[in-house]
Amino acid sequence: MRQILALPIVIVLAGCGTAREVAPPPAEAPKLPDIPLDIRRCFVGVVEIPDRALSVEDTERLWKIDRARSGSQQRCGLRLIARDDALREGWR
């Protein structure tokens, strides 16, 4: 008698596919866009100091170059952060 009651359940379940067959294929993970080249080029590093005794003029010139680079790198860093924030807002 139990076999007769179980028969309709078995028939219904036989028509079901496995989870592997029913699940849709995995979607490709979205990729972040590349960092723009103008931002990549901003981060050039610090001023190279020559291996010799520096004059006062040398020191002042190198310091000015370093300050200009530092300001430029800070602006680039802020642009990179703003870009990242904008990307995160639309990210799924």
Side-chain angles (χ1 to χ4, degrees):
M1 182 73 169
R2 286 187 183 188
Q3 292 174 347
I4 294 174
L5 293 175
L7 187 61
I9 295 173
V10 171
I11 292 172
V12 171
L13 291 177
C16 296
T18 64
R20 181 173 292 187
E21 293 170 343
V22 175
E28 193 171 311
K31 291 184 172 184
L32 285 172
D34 291 334
I35 296 173
L37 288 177
D38 63 324
I39 292 179
R40 284 185 180 272
R41 291 182 185 140
C42 279
F43 301 103
V44 294
V46 296
V47 175
E48 293 204 22
I49 300 172
D51 190 21
R52 61 176 169 80
L54 299 177
S55 67
V56 172
E57 292 81 19
D58 289 335
T59 303
E60 184 177 344
R61 181 178 52 79
L62 293 172
W63 181 81
K64 286 179 181 179
I65 293 170
D66 185 60
R67 293 292 82 208
R69 282 187 185 178
S70 178
S72 174
Q73 289 174 356
Q74 183 179 20
R75 288 187 298 276
C76 282
L78 292 173
R79 284 182 45 223
L80 183 61
I81 291 169
R83 176 185 176 274
D84 185 65
D85 288 344
L87 285 173
R88 286 177 186 270
E89 284 180 13
W91 198 254
R92 297 179 214 178

